[in-house]
Amino acid sequence: MDTALDVHRALTDDELRRLDAYWRAANYLTVGQIYLLGNPLLREPLTRDDIKPRLLGHWGTSPGLNLIYAHLNRVIVARDLNAMLVTGPGHGGPAIVANTWLEGTWSERYHDVARDEAGMSKLFRQFSFPGGIPSHVAADVPGSIHEGGELGYALSHAYGAAFDHPNLVVACVVGDGEAETGPLAGSWLSDVFLNPARDGAVLPILHLNGYKIASPTVLSRIPEADLLDLMRGSGYQPYVVAGDDPAQVHRALAATMDRALDEIAEIQRRARSGGVVERPRWPMIILRTPKGWTGPREVDGSQVEGTYRAHQVPLSGVRDNPAHLAELEHWLRSYRPEELFDATGAPVDELRTLPPRGDRRMSANPVTNGGLVLRDLTLPDFRDYAVEVPEPGQPMAGATGALGPWIRDVITANPQTFRLFGPDEVASNRLGAAFEVTDRAWVAARVPGDDHLSPDGRVMEVLSEHLCQGWLEGYLLTGRHGVFTSYEAFIHIVDSMLNQHAKWLKVTRAIPWRQPIASLNYLLSSHVWRQDHNGFSHQDPGFIDHVVNKKAEVVRVYLPPDANTLLATMDHCLRSRHYINVVVAGKQPAPNWLTMTEAIQHTRRGLGIWEWASNDGGSEPDVVLACCGDVPTLEALAAVELLRQHLPELKVRLVNVVDLMRLQPATEHPHGLTDNEFDTIFTEDRPIIFAYHGYPWLIHRLTYRRTNHDNLHVRGYKEEGTTTTPFDMVMLNDLDRFHLVTDVIDRVPGLAARAARLRQRMVDARQSARDYTRQYGEDDPQVAEWRWVRETGPTNP
């Protein structure tokens, strides 16, 4: 315990008594949720029939969470504080549910669960019960933005919530098991990016109860001096509260919270008084209390309280073991429920008056239901940023480079509600125009020669995809907007975080009081086909496959073929709500195919026939050449020109796909085409050669129910890569123009015999192109400098 604090000044004896009563009430309600099916107030002795047949939940962390919640309520009332809570040990779900019921918010959201005996019975029954609520702090729980079922993301979510919320204090409980994860370990450095002049504050509370499921936690067993140095080295002033005597811990925690909040207020006062904004030493609390505190001390001769045995359900044989049943009743009665709840089952008056009122309740704070405070972005007209396209294929311009000025102006127009996130790759991905109007957020030391660093920066760059994702999720969940830009191969690092966010979006769509939030927008560049300088380690388009596994109602995938379609796509994504939008676009100079008017139409359709690249003349084609992605589109168009040059009688239809989900049936995805629409575009019986950006099997998976699926042949990434030239990269994976032409020859009935010479020329052209790269270290100019020429002579070998 920190002896520098006068622990007796924070609480009067009466305040201590009431605070302890509130904590006991929350603990009672927590245990009741885990165990009880009936008899919620113990008006009769417990019987087997009062116990749930399946005992689920986590008791070990819950008393600590209840303690923290009660003390946060005290300071919110005393200071009229605008505060919210992020619960890292989200498996302590019954504790947070208990507090929302005590505050009254649960009954306001779920009218059938009133604050009376019948409501308490429903509260107990619904927890981890079929047709009820999950065991974690899920989206069903008012005040939650973070389920915590998967550990590691609490602190990054808390900081994301604090950005641009200057009057908000985000208390964040970090479990000592969670503290062992990589994402959480990196999250301590988030304070380097928090501006005390314009952002809110985060109060980390590291809860050390000593154990995970079956073994000790690392931070609970290292010397306390090392732990304090670890926190100080991360920029915090740690305060330790430790003990197992409730009265002493209450007094110490109250005094420590007061001191921490005083320091936060002083840090913000100094930063907001017009002085130089520097990195402060933010307070944080280390709370050491026994795991499963106030629960059974011993069960069947083994210690439980203060050990890993308290992690989940300390008494597991209650229905069939009379001794366990008696111990459970003793445990529940130790909280003296007759003192805490009146004759109707409602909390007694002095408990009802202890929590904050209205929106000051952490479970009712509007920012925790981000859609309530969400406002539309002010978006500049993306048409004003168009690349002029006098004819298809002209000019050569990088798509993300054209997008950069628009993103720059989005930042300018939305100085408090939009941020750009990226793992040190904003400039690399050609979005450097943002630095014309803002900097990288940075509150640590700066030295001459630093590039665009300032406390007020709107670009959030840190070399951790986990942090970027967590910050952005916290930012979105509390009512703001953003874009996450990353190299395509390394966005996989956040696969699991995306899983959790997708589940959150899916569940909240069915919760009436949860309002839609802004979409999570990924802009992936430096993609698989243009990672020739970094090589195989940087070549992986599989994030798309991962995203498509999620619920169709919340995921969207876009592969714009050029700059204008990228502009139209990103405008759509930033206007959308409650989706995960994945946009893959190249950063290198590339042909541009569509005028802005054409790009808007094409983006709205999601896919379509490019008439200027087709020669089927409105009749049925001999072959459909489809493409999705910028490099596949380039190769498909080069193949079309070769076919037009050497087989002019062949009727070729070129179909480009922007919205990948259009390929699915309408019954499987909201963007899907009906079977009739699909057959109209792709035909019912003609060969389809599909040049795709990613792994070929995904196209088959999306279209396997279509009439003409048996005639579909997909070329894409086959996990072949190295440090090589751009065209050699597509040849390694058989996606090149010459191979596409041979695919057409091989699959159009009757064509093989009469096009044998052309097929041989294509094989020779591939070998010639490869030989050139091996001799000169770059692509043959006849390939690298190829340009689409409408209806003229050949420009290819």
Side-chain angles (χ1 to χ4, degrees):
M1 214 171 286
D2 193 326
T3 56
L5 295 174
D6 185 347
V7 298
H8 292 283
R9 294 185 58 187
L11 294 177
T12 67
D13 289 345
D14 185 61
E15 288 171 333
L16 172 60
R17 180 186 59 79
R18 295 176 64 221
L19 197 61
D20 187 70
Y22 197 90
W23 180 49
R24 286 188 286 118
N27 285 338
Y28 179 86
L29 294 169
T30 299
V31 180
Q33 290 176 76
I34 295 173
Y35 284 97
L36 297 186
L37 199 58
N39 196 9
L41 289 170
L42 304 183
R43 298 192 189 278
E44 303 291 339
L46 278 183
T47 68
R48 183 181 189 276
D49 292 340
D50 295 327
I51 308 302
K52 293 180 177 180
R54 298 170 68 243
L55 300 179
L56 304 171
H58 293 75
W59 164 247
T61 190
S62 292
L65 294 178
N66 287 329
L67 181 77
I68 292 165
Y69 206 106
H71 278 262
L72 286 170
N73 277 345
R74 182 190 72 84
V75 295
I76 291 170
V77 172
R79 299 166 180 261
D80 191 28
L81 206 62
N82 180 21
M84 59 174 284
L85 176 65
V86 175
T87 311
H91 49 279
I96 305 303
V97 171
N99 281 279
T100 64
W101 188 83
L102 282 172
E103 290 181 325
T105 316
W106 192 274
S107 299
E108 292 169 11
R109 299 290 182 267
Y110 305 100
H111 300 303
D112 60 326
V113 188
R115 282 197 295 178
D116 55 24
E117 183 174 7
M120 188 188 297
S121 183
K122 289 183 179 180
L123 186 80
F124 291 175
R125 184 183 186 91
Q126 70 182 6
F127 177 77
S128 286
F129 201 78
I133 63 171
S135 63
H136 288 74
V137 187
D140 311 74
V141 181
S144 171
I145 67 163
H146 172 95
E147 174 163 322
E150 182 175 309
L151 300 176
Y153 316 133
L155 201 52
S156 60
H157 283 166
Y159 275 96
F163 294 142
D164 294 321
H165 272 146
N167 299 316
L168 182 67
V169 174
V170 186
C172 179
V173 184
V174 177
D176 48 355
E178 177 175 35
E180 297 175 6
T181 66
L184 197 288
S187 295
W188 293 112
L189 294 178
S190 296
D191 59 357
V192 172
F193 305 87
L194 189 77
N195 182 349
R198 67 178 297 165
D199 297 328
V202 175
L203 177 60
I205 302 170
L206 176 59
H207 186 207
L208 298 180
N209 59 33
Y211 292 89
K212 305 185 285 287
I213 292 176
S215 59
T217 54
V218 173
L219 295 188
S220 72
R221 293 291 181 93
I222 65 174
E224 187 164 285
D226 290 354
L227 176 60
L228 296 177
D229 286 346
L230 179 65
M231 293 298 104
R232 292 190 185 106
S234 297
Y236 299 93
Q237 175 57 56
Y239 295 105
V240 179
V241 177
D244 59 4
D245 180 274
Q248 291 182 9
V249 173
H250 278 308
R251 290 190 184 279
L253 184 55
T256 303
M257 275 198 179
D258 281 342
R259 180 168 181 170
L261 291 167
D262 287 345
E263 290 183 4
I264 287 172
E266 177 58 20
I267 288 169
Q268 292 178 334
R269 186 197 65 78
R270 290 197 306 267
R272 297 171 187 183
S273 62
V276 177
V277 175
E278 297 177 339
R279 184 188 182 196
R281 188 170 291 281
W282 294 96
M284 62 87 61
I285 297 172
I286 299 172
L287 176 64
R288 289 185 183 268
T289 58
K291 194 173 187 75
W293 196 16
T294 74
R297 292 179 181 271
E298 185 179 290
V299 176
D300 296 335
S302 297
Q303 183 183 344
V304 173
E305 185 185 61
T307 77
Y308 66 90
R309 296 183 184 91
H311 185 76
Q312 292 178 301
V313 181
L315 295 162
S316 57
V318 182
R319 281 173 66 93
D320 301 314
N321 186 326
H324 282 200
L325 183 64
E327 179 63 26
L328 174 61
E329 183 165 353
H330 173 75
W331 177 13
L332 284 163
R333 291 192 187 278
S334 72
Y335 298 119
R336 306 192 297 279
E338 67 279 1
E339 299 176 7
L340 307 174
F341 306 100
D342 64 21
T344 71
V348 296
D349 286 344
E350 71 172 5
L351 296 189
R352 293 167 71 99
T353 58
L354 190 142
R357 302 295 180 90
D359 288 352
R360 280 293 188 254
R361 295 171 294 176
M362 291 186 290
S363 58
N365 193 319
V367 300
T368 64
N369 185 3
L372 291 175
V373 297
L374 181 65
R375 298 294 178 267
D376 291 343
L377 288 172
T378 299
L379 294 178
D381 190 339
F382 66 93
R383 298 167 185 83
D384 296 339
Y385 303 79
V387 172
E388 293 299 323
V389 180
E391 60 182 40
Q394 300 290 340
M396 297 288 287
T400 57
L403 180 70
W406 184 75
I407 292 288
R408 172 199 65 201
D409 294 346
V410 172
I411 292 172
T412 300
N414 304 275
Q416 295 177 316
T417 56
F418 177 86
R419 295 199 184 206
L420 179 61
F421 299 78
D424 197 29
E425 292 161 1
V426 168
S428 174
N429 282 334
R430 306 297 191 266
L431 300 176
F435 298 122
E436 296 172 15
V437 297
T438 190
D439 300 307
R440 298 173 176 90
W442 188 263
V443 191
R446 285 169 282 165
V447 300
D450 283 340
D451 182 37
H452 288 97
L453 300 181
S454 79
D456 292 322
R458 309 299 296 167
V459 175
M460 310 300 296
E461 280 201 332
V462 62
L463 200 52
S464 165
E465 287 82 358
H466 288 123
L467 272 185
C468 291
Q469 175 84 15
W471 288 345
L472 178 53
E473 287 180 358
Y475 201 63
L476 299 175
L477 287 161
T478 52
R480 281 73 62 76
H481 307 255
V483 170
F484 183 178
T485 182
S486 178
Y487 281 20
E488 181 185 45
F490 300 135
I491 197 63
H492 272 300
I493 293 171
V494 301
D495 277 1
S496 204
M497 296 184 77
L498 175 137
N499 285 348
Q500 298 301 317
H501 192 73
K503 292 174 189 298
W504 184 277
L505 295 179
K506 185 263 185 187
V507 169
T508 52
R509 286 175 68 93
I511 299 176
W513 53 269
R514 286 279 186 186
Q515 298 301 306
I517 61 172
S519 296
L520 172 55
N521 299 304
Y522 293 98
L523 175 59
L524 306 183
S525 194
S526 301
H527 62 55
V528 58
W529 302 109
R530 289 295 182 264
Q531 274 296 324
D532 38 280
H533 61 297
N534 280 316
F536 196 36
S537 64
H538 285 54
Q539 296 162 352
D540 188 330
F543 188 69
I544 295 173
D545 303 61
H546 178 64
V547 170
V548 171
N549 287 333
K550 304 302 112 185
K551 198 71 174 178
E553 62 198 10
V554 300
V555 295
R556 307 287 186 266
V557 179
Y558 302 99
L559 293 101
D562 66 0
N564 287 336
T565 48
L566 175 61
L567 282 160
T569 297
M570 289 304 298
D571 179 82
H572 166 76
C573 290
L574 286 185
R575 294 179 188 277
S576 69
R577 295 289 182 270
H578 227 67
Y579 297 143
I580 293 172
N581 295 314
V582 178
V583 182
V584 183
K587 67 180 184 181
Q588 303 295 351
N592 283 270
W593 309 107
L594 304 178
T595 67
M596 181 54 78
T597 299
E598 293 168 338
I600 292 170
Q601 293 173 339
H602 188 49
T603 302
R604 288 173 177 168
R605 287 192 299 258
L607 59 74
I609 300 168
W610 281 3
E611 295 183 13
W612 52 268
S614 305
N615 69 345
D616 53 335
S619 60
E620 194 164 29
D622 296 313
V623 64
V624 175
L625 198 53
C627 49
C628 182
D630 52 3
V631 169
T633 298
L634 169 65
E635 293 304 312
L637 284 165
V640 165
E641 188 175 86
L642 284 166
L643 291 168
R644 183 178 296 176
Q645 171 190 346
H646 296 290
L647 298 171
E649 74 284 1
L650 188 72
K651 295 179 181 179
V652 180
R653 175 178 296 175
L654 192 288
V655 177
N656 182 264
V657 179
V658 179
D659 181 351
L660 190 64
M661 311 319 292
R662 294 289 276 166
L663 297 178
Q664 277 196 290
T667 55
E668 300 298 317
H669 195 282
H671 286 196
L673 293 175
T674 66
D675 287 337
N676 183 64
E677 291 170 327
F678 190 92
D679 292 345
T680 298
I681 293 172
F682 289 97
T683 77
E684 295 184 26
D685 57 2
R686 299 306 165 101
I688 305 168
I689 311 300
F690 201 124
Y692 172 53
H693 173 88
Y695 292 104
W697 75 270
L698 180 60
I699 302 301
H700 287 290
R701 173 184 162 193
L702 297 176
T703 60
Y704 78 97
R705 293 183 179 179
R706 300 298 191 178
T707 304
N708 200 23
H709 178 258
D710 287 349
N711 285 320
L712 173 65
H713 180 69
V714 185
R715 291 293 180 186
Y717 184 63
K718 302 195 302 183
E719 204 65 23
E720 294 290 342
T722 185
T723 302
T724 189
T725 65
F727 191 68
D728 194 47
M729 181 66 186
V730 294
M731 285 197 296
L732 284 172
N733 290 276
D734 296 336
L735 184 64
D736 60 280
R737 59 200 68 179
F738 305 129
H739 210 290
L740 293 176
V741 170
T742 62
D743 283 337
V744 170
I745 294 170
D746 291 345
R747 285 167 175 79
V748 173
L751 191 58
R754 59 190 176 94
R757 292 181 178 82
L758 176 60
R759 193 185 193 287
Q760 181 172 292
R761 290 185 63 183
M762 295 298 99
V763 172
D764 292 344
R766 276 172 56 87
Q767 188 60 53
S768 176
R770 176 152 295 155
D771 291 344
Y772 191 96
T773 65
R774 299 305 187 268
Q775 182 174 358
Y776 297 103
E778 60 182 0
D779 283 326
D780 187 335
Q782 292 187 79
V783 172
E785 298 173 9
W786 174 85
R787 300 293 182 268
W788 172 266
V789 180
R790 192 196 301 253
E791 297 181 1
T792 60
T795 61
N796 248 319

